[in-house]
Amino acid sequence: MNLLSDDILNKYIDGELDHSSLQHVNEVLSGSIEDKKRMNALLAVHNALKKVKEEEVDPSFTELLMKKLQYRKKAFK
């Protein structure tokens, strides 16, 4: 049975829990194989996502897009 929600586990991984919540999660993880497995799976996803590089967008992207939208709007009239 899962005692911890994914939300709590994600906050645990992100270091967003207060001291008492952190202690509670550590206690549950030490006694629950299922929760420990889920935490490890979430941690693997967390670490993989940290390695993904963001694509850079040309600074003029928004301006070009808006011009194209205005052009299409005029074409439909």
Side-chain angles (χ1 to χ4, degrees):
M1 181 170 122
N2 298 331
L3 302 174
L4 301 170
S5 68
D6 285 352
D7 184 49
I8 293 294
L9 290 173
N10 280 313
K11 287 180 180 181
Y12 177 83
I13 291 168
D14 291 336
E16 297 177 352
L17 295 178
D18 59 52
H19 183 70
S20 63
S21 297
L22 183 62
Q23 284 182 319
H24 172 71
V25 171
N26 283 329
E27 289 173 11
V28 172
L29 290 175
S30 68
S32 172
I33 294 171
E34 289 179 27
D35 285 308
K36 182 77 172 182
K37 286 180 182 179
R38 286 182 33 251
M39 195 276 298
N40 286 332
L42 289 169
L43 185 59
V45 170
H46 176 82
N47 290 332
L49 288 173
K50 285 174 78 174
K51 294 178 183 178
V52 174
K53 293 184 180 180
E54 293 181 31
E55 292 184 31
E56 291 188 27
V57 179
D58 187 295
S60 63
F61 174 78
T62 302
E63 183 181 340
L64 292 171
L65 179 62
M66 293 307 293
K67 284 181 181 179
K68 286 183 181 182
L69 289 173
Q70 288 173 353
Y71 177 75
R72 285 188 179 182
K73 186 177 177 182
K74 289 178 185 177
F76 284 116
K77 286 186 177 183

